[in-house]
Amino acid sequence: MAAVQTRSERALNRVAIAAVLVITLLFLAPIYWITSTAFKPRNLATTIPPTVIFEPEISPFVKLFTKRSQLRTAPEPEDYAAAPWWERLVFDGGEKVVRSGRGEVQLSGYPNRFMNSLIVAITSTVLAVGMGTFTAYGFSRFKMKGEADLLFFILSTRMLPPVVVAIPMFLMYRAVGLNDTHWGLIILYTAFNLSFSVWLMKGFIDEIPKEYEEAALVDGYTRLEAFFKIVLPEAATGIAATAVFCFITAWNEYAFALIMTNRRAQTAPPFIPSQVGSGLPDWTVIAAGTFLFLLPVAIFTFLLRNHLLRGMSFGAIRK
Amino acid sequence: MATVVMTSLDSKSRAASRGLSDIKIRNLFIIPTILFLIVFNIFPLIYSLGYSFTDFRASTNAPATFVGLQNYRELLNDPFIWANFAITAKYVIVSVTGQVVVGFGTAMLLNREIPYKGLITTLLLLPMMLSMAVVGLFWKLLYDPSFGIINYALGLGSFEWLANPDMALYAVAITDIWMWSPFVMLLSLAGLSAVPRHLYEAAAIDRAGPFYTFFRITLPLVAPILMIAIIFRTMEAFKTFDLAYILTSQPTTEVISIRLYKMAFQEWQTGRSCALAYIVLIMVLAITNIYVKYLNRVKER
């Protein structure tokens, strides 16, 4: 009886393992597909049956970063194949890079949007985590009246649909000239991430024993010294985890960026989709832009895997 | 013991006399954040409350005239707005149900001795860390009727996913399910691993069948955490904008956020859109309240 049970148990386990593998592969397939498309020559991006084996190219990335114009006469396929690789990059499938008067290759809009994303995401992360850490310490260590209400108020600011807040913010920004500026987005993303940063950091600081600071106070430190020299170093991993979370949120944000920016301060999320247009889009270039944009998030996800669950659930689950 | 407490109290007051007092530090640490959030979250809402009673259009220089409750009255009597809410509700139900089924199912499978469980869980985190707008964009490529890999893999020929008004909302929901099932899975997995082993052993001794064990032991104990996942995802799905907006422009996928965006920034009916924003806001606050109630209940456990 027992042996039969274990045998069926084992068979069941094998089915479960197979099912998990299939599910994982299905979930990763879209990401694999966009990544592989980013390295394909243009003519292989939209073939049926889909091309799985191909020689990877970097030309989609070169096209992504440079301005190109269509040539009136496309080069003959033989000439094209015989050309050295650097000429193929400049002169690809009937397209040619645009050069300025001094012969410099002109950059496309992408590098600029990518930089905007970096500037906005990094600055707002520093601000949100900085303010969040101080506030979390205040809530964690000192009692006050209405603490739960204040914490709920802080959390509630994140529950608002972005479009709802965006309408009055747009009007206010227009009145003070913050539309289409880096600071405009930075302030919005800081406000958006601050609530999250306070809640997450409070969880981390709550776990640092109060006795550490009390010992420091006995040794003659002031409260502020104890905070900077004892609590902050102890909270370092929590700060790093919170920072990556805030960065990813700001990095991925779309609605505010779409509404509040149009050229100067536009970030990548509204820019990449706007390049699809209505004609026949070059999917390899769009995939290249997408791939580069996803890369930091993928790296952070891997580095931060152990903190992610807690962050996603606002500390609702205590392991 | 008592002396330790005494010294610590004593030193605290001495430290306080040297540096800033604790109350001053607390205020210094908390007040700027509260002020910042009020200025950038509450003040805009009050500002737009004012506009919601006017016929203001941000695209013209005409001054706002007060129209009282007219915007609200018109919106609440507008069948098209209710259609947008109905689409939103349908979208929420389809996508959250899908996420719970796929996510909880995967968690049940993973809650065994699976090799490389940690690696698999990490890999499954990736979709939900990505930008919804960019995800929408690359699913557009996957859904393409003539060269999309989905039609090829399923042998559907040139089936229209996004151009077909009946299918488009489901296509958006499928993408959302792909993105967020891992979230439900992670929370379920945490819940499942917290179920005490001895309950299953006791059930095995009583020769309880798998159905009995699932419905009487597993489900009731995982339910609170599953509930958090459901409420969280419901709120997020209710706010959906980017995914639906990027993937398709069908009238059948015009969820309330898209309607609001168009009203405010394409038709420039600023006053009216502020009123609609308030109606949406009240609904979100209602859902939020349920969420926080459950969050507290589970935390108290």
Side-chain angles (χ1 to χ4, degrees), chain A residues 12-13 27 34 46 49 134-135 143-144 152 159-160 168 174 187 220 223 252 254 276 290 297 305 308, chain B residues 18 22 25-26 29-30 33 40 44 58 112 122 125 129 131 134 137-138 147 152 178 235 246 281 284 292:
Chain A
L12 207 65
N13 236 5
F27 269 83
I34 202 76
T46 54
F134 282 112
T135 309
K143 288 274 152 285
M144 76 176 84
F152 174 67
M159 308 270 181
L160 306 173
R174 204 171 60 169
I187 290 171
R223 220 358 131 169
N252 285 339
Y254 175 77
V276 175
T290 306
V297 174
R305 55 193 180 277
L308 283 171
Chain B
R18 273 198 319 273
D22 280 3
I25 288 177
R26 183 195 74 191
F29 280 13
I30 292 178
T33 292
F40 290 103
R112 296 168 160 270
T122 303
L125 288 176
M129 305 311 292
S131 159
V134 174
L137 184 66
F138 72 72
F147 54 81
Y152 179 77
W178 173 78
M235 275 177 39
I246 296 284
L281 190 66
V284 171
V292 171

Side-chain angles (χ1 to χ4, degrees), chain B residues 99-108 184 188 192 214 219 222 226:
Chain B
Q99 284 156 28
V100 169
V101 170
V102 177
F104 189 66
T106 314
M108 286 292 286
V184 180
S188 309
L192 284 171
F214 178 77
L219 204 54
V222 181
L226 200 58

Side-chain angles (χ1 to χ4, degrees), chain A:
Chain A
M1 183 67 193
V4 173
Q5 236 179 4
T6 42
R7 200 182 300 153
S8 69
E9 220 359 74
R10 225 178 288 152
L12 207 65
N13 236 5
R14 229 170 277 149
V15 173
I17 291 170
V20 165
L21 276 180
V22 170
I23 290 169
T24 312
L25 289 179
L26 275 179
F27 269 83
L28 295 181
I31 298 172
Y32 165 75
W33 197 248
I34 202 76
T35 305
S36 73
T37 305
F39 293 93
K40 276 179 187 171
R42 183 173 186 176
N43 58 331
L44 295 184
T46 54
T47 52
I48 281 291
T51 315
V52 179
I53 297 158
F54 58 93
E55 219 179 299
E57 284 202 357
I58 59 156
S59 64
F61 292 91
V62 177
K63 285 195 214 170
L64 177 70
F65 281 112
T66 52
K67 262 191 192 159
R68 308 204 140 236
S69 70
Q70 287 285 335
L71 288 180
R72 231 171 253 163
T73 46
E76 291 299 313
E78 303 92 79
D79 301 349
Y80 175 69
W85 65 270
W86 60 87
E87 272 184 33
R88 261 187 284 163
L89 291 181
V90 176
F91 194 62
D92 187 6
E95 287 174 41
K96 189 172 167 282
V97 295
V98 177
R99 290 171 190 276
S100 70
R102 274 176 286 169
E104 294 151 334
V105 170
Q106 296 237 359
L107 291 180
S108 70
Y110 188 80
N112 176 260
R113 311 304 147 107
F114 197 86
M115 275 308 290
N116 285 343
S117 276
L118 279 177
I119 292 168
V120 168
I122 292 175
T123 317
S124 69
T125 298
V126 170
L127 289 174
V129 176
M131 289 173 77
T133 306
F134 282 112
T135 309
Y137 180 78
F139 276 115
S140 176
R141 290 300 192 259
F142 308 115
K143 288 274 152 285
M144 76 176 84
K145 266 188 217 158
E147 187 180 317
D149 292 333
L150 267 183
L151 279 169
F152 174 67
F153 159 71
I154 290 174
L155 181 65
S156 70
T157 59
R158 200 190 166 90
M159 308 270 181
L160 306 173
V163 180
V164 169
V165 188
I167 299 168
M169 286 310 284
F170 176 82
L171 298 175
M172 287 168 64
Y173 272 19
R174 204 171 60 169
V176 295
L178 273 170
N179 265 341
D180 205 16
T181 61
H182 290 137
W183 276 110
L185 277 190
I186 289 168
I187 290 171
L188 274 172
Y189 293 171
T190 306
F192 190 64
N193 271 332
L194 193 51
S195 59
F196 179 69
S197 166
V198 170
W199 274 68
L200 207 54
M201 281 314 301
K202 184 174 180 295
F204 284 114
I205 292 174
D206 279 346
E207 276 166 28
I208 303 169
K210 275 185 183 154
E211 287 74 19
Y212 288 9
E213 293 146 79
E214 272 158 19
L217 292 176
V218 172
D219 286 349
Y221 282 55
T222 63
R223 220 358 131 169
L224 274 180
E225 283 169 347
F227 172 72
F228 282 109
K229 290 183 184 156
I230 311 290
V231 179
L232 278 190
E234 285 290 323
T237 51
I239 292 174
T242 309
V244 172
F245 259 114
C246 292
F247 176 86
I248 289 176
T249 313
W251 183 252
N252 285 339
E253 205 284 329
Y254 175 77
F256 281 126
L258 177 73
I259 293 165
M260 303 296 186
T261 65
N262 42 57
R263 270 187 51 247
R264 253 184 312 152
Q266 195 181 46
T267 53
F271 177 73
I272 302 175
S274 71
Q275 299 304 297
V276 175
S278 51
L280 264 180
D282 188 342
W283 277 103
T284 62
V285 177
I286 293 158
T290 306
F291 171 74
L292 275 188
F293 182 75
L294 301 183
L295 204 56
V297 174
I299 294 168
F300 282 142
T301 303
F302 186 73
L303 293 178
L304 201 72
R305 55 193 180 277
N306 297 326
H307 290 292
L308 283 171
L309 174 61
R310 188 161 147 187
M312 307 279 334
S313 57
F314 283 105
I317 289 155
R318 305 224 159 177
K319 279 253 170 176

Side-chain angles (χ1 to χ4, degrees), chain B residues 61-81:
Chain B
N61 286 324
T65 42
F66 184 78
V67 294
L69 286 172
Q70 192 194 323
N71 285 330
Y72 289 91
R73 212 180 303 123
E74 280 175 8
L75 284 168
L76 291 172
N77 286 321
D78 185 347
F80 294 107
I81 295 294

Side-chain angles (χ1 to χ4, degrees), chain A residues 312, chain B residues 99 128 132 176-184 233:
Chain A
M312 307 279 334
Chain B
Q99 284 156 28
M128 63 176 165
M132 289 191 117
D176 200 51
I177 291 168
W178 173 78
M179 246 185 123
W180 292 103
S181 291
F183 173 73
V184 180
R233 285 312 310 153

